[in-house]
Amino acid sequence: MDKIDTLLSSRGLVKSFEVKQGLGKRASIRAVDGVDFDVHPNRVFSIVGESGCGKSTVARLALRLMDPTEGQVLFRGANIFEMDGEAERAFRRAVQIVFQDPFASLNPRRTVYQTISEPVMIHGIATGEAVREEVKRLLATVGLHDVMERYPHEFSGGQRQRICIARALAVRPELIVMDEPLSALDVSIQAQIINLLIELKEQASLSYIFISHDLRVVRYLSDEVAVMYLGRIVEQGPSEDLFNNPLHPYTNVLLESAPSITSHGKRRTVLATEVPSLINLPTGCPFHPRCPRKFAPCDNIVPTLTSHGSHSVACHLHK
């Protein structure tokens, strides 16, 4: 049973898609395959992994932007896929998203005021003259001033992302899903946005689901981390425990591959093969064709996620 302080949780979450294989044939792939996790109030839960691992699909399922093939997403104990009417409206207000590309997220024909005032008015946050003051306050919260009548093309990438964050804050959410919100920004701008997110988290008691492939950012920002590979969580636990004592070989490879000032000149583990296709997954452990530490059971037996001290891992090396 979920803890009483759980804000959002995933249970047995599966998402399958049909894809063309040529000559009229179609195949079913599992982009998300039995994912469980919990997000707690005023905490940051991060999902990391290579492109195509399923982390963005999990984010869209958590927002009810698509329906699952199996499983549930519970918000304060209620299944979001069964919500309608006022319950669904309350959920849409409580959970917001900031996408990867800030320019594509903003309507180029609408001013900043039009973009941010719309959710304020739709959800009844303010009315009349108070709307303008609320938009002004939201922009000041993200460090922008005197920009309400300007258009998206007049801003830098970092400023656009601040506008997207202000729009997400407009309905006073409890949880914001951040889907690779820094990947389109310069490193110096990334640092500014990270510090802004931390400040907002404390000021508004926010929770985040943070989707990223940048382990440096994840370590700095997160309370708990899940590592995904081919639709499954292969390791999960408190951020510092996972980074200080990674158990899964895939987690180790990701950490060794992350750029670091102190890693200059060190030999890194290099994966010998590309990520397998979801259409033709290997038998046994999905990671075994690329794993530097594989042994006999890995070829035929799929490991399950089991608890090991402070965190959980799906690997035959840790039984």
Side-chain angles (χ1 to χ4, degrees):
M1 189 167 179
D2 292 320
K3 295 179 180 179
I4 192 168
D5 65 342
T6 299
L7 183 62
L8 183 141
S9 59
S10 165
R11 292 292 177 265
L13 200 60
V14 174
K15 181 61 181 179
S16 298
F17 295 99
E18 279 199 352
V19 296
K20 293 181 180 179
Q21 276 192 294
L23 299 175
K25 294 183 179 179
R26 303 183 71 86
S28 179
I29 62 169
R30 283 196 169 195
V32 176
D33 191 3
V35 167
D36 295 344
F37 63 84
D38 294 316
V39 182
H40 301 286
N42 200 30
R43 307 280 284 178
V44 180
F45 176 78
S46 290
I47 305 175
V48 300
E50 294 170 287
S51 296
C53 72
K55 55 188 186 292
S56 290
T57 304
V58 169
R60 282 156 175 75
L61 288 165
L63 287 153
R64 197 180 171 181
L65 297 181
M66 58 175 64
D67 292 329
T69 306
E70 298 175 25
Q72 298 178 324
V73 173
L74 307 175
F75 183 74
R76 295 202 175 279
N79 186 353
I80 67 172
F81 302 109
E82 295 177 353
M83 291 178 177
D84 56 18
E86 187 55 39
E88 183 178 2
R89 181 181 171 87
F91 170 73
R92 296 295 185 193
R93 175 175 167 175
V95 184
Q96 294 290 301
I97 186 168
V98 174
F99 290 103
Q100 177 177 359
D101 186 345
F103 191 68
S105 301
L106 299 171
N107 187 331
R109 293 190 175 91
R110 308 195 74 183
T111 64
V112 171
Y113 173 78
Q114 290 171 326
T115 294
I116 299 177
S117 64
E118 183 177 45
V120 170
M121 292 185 289
I122 287 174
H123 289 276
I125 305 300
T127 57
E129 291 299 319
V131 174
R132 195 167 189 84
E133 288 304 311
E134 179 64 11
V135 173
K136 184 178 179 180
R137 184 192 70 80
L138 287 164
L139 289 168
T141 299
V142 299
L144 295 174
H145 304 275
D146 301 321
V147 298
M148 286 196 287
E149 302 308 322
R150 293 166 63 183
Y151 291 87
H153 72 271
E154 300 180 68
F155 297 95
S156 67
Q159 289 173 322
R160 291 181 198 132
Q161 199 62 292
R162 288 174 185 266
I163 294 167
C164 291
I165 293 169
R167 181 177 59 186
L169 293 172
V171 293
R172 301 175 186 174
E174 298 176 68
L175 171 66
I176 301 180
V177 177
M178 299 278 180
D179 190 3
E180 299 271 13
L182 307 176
S183 62
L185 307 179
D186 293 337
V187 173
S188 60
I189 304 302
Q190 288 182 8
Q192 295 174 19
I193 298 298
I194 291 167
N195 290 332
L196 173 63
L197 293 177
I198 292 172
E199 290 175 13
L200 293 173
K201 173 178 172 286
E202 299 307 319
Q203 291 173 6
S205 297
L206 287 169
S207 298
Y208 299 130
I209 295 177
F210 194 84
I211 310 295
S212 181
H213 61 271
D214 191 329
L215 294 174
R216 296 168 302 172
V217 172
V218 167
R219 183 169 192 170
Y220 182 72
L221 191 63
S222 307
D223 296 298
E224 187 167 359
V225 178
V227 180
M228 284 192 71
Y229 185 75
L230 292 178
R232 299 178 182 179
I233 292 177
V234 297
E235 188 164 3
Q236 181 175 341
S239 178
E240 282 306 304
D241 293 343
L242 187 143
F243 279 97
N244 290 331
N245 182 33
L247 299 179
H248 200 283
Y250 180 60
T251 307
N252 277 281
V253 169
L254 290 179
L255 290 172
E256 290 179 12
S257 301
S260 170
I261 294 174
T262 59
S263 66
H264 180 69
K266 291 184 179 180
R267 188 174 181 179
R268 296 176 180 175
T269 301
V270 179
L271 294 173
T273 59
E274 296 294 324
V275 180
S277 168
L278 285 169
I279 296 175
N280 188 26
L281 285 174
T283 59
C285 174
F287 187 59
H288 89 261
R290 311 174 75 200
C291 183
R293 300 180 64 191
K294 70 175 180 178
F295 64 115
C298 304
D299 294 337
N300 301 301
I301 304 172
V302 179
T304 57
L305 196 67
T306 55
S307 178
H308 290 271
S310 61
H311 56 285
S312 301
V313 62
C315 181
H316 294 302
L317 292 168
H318 304 279
K319 288 189 173 181

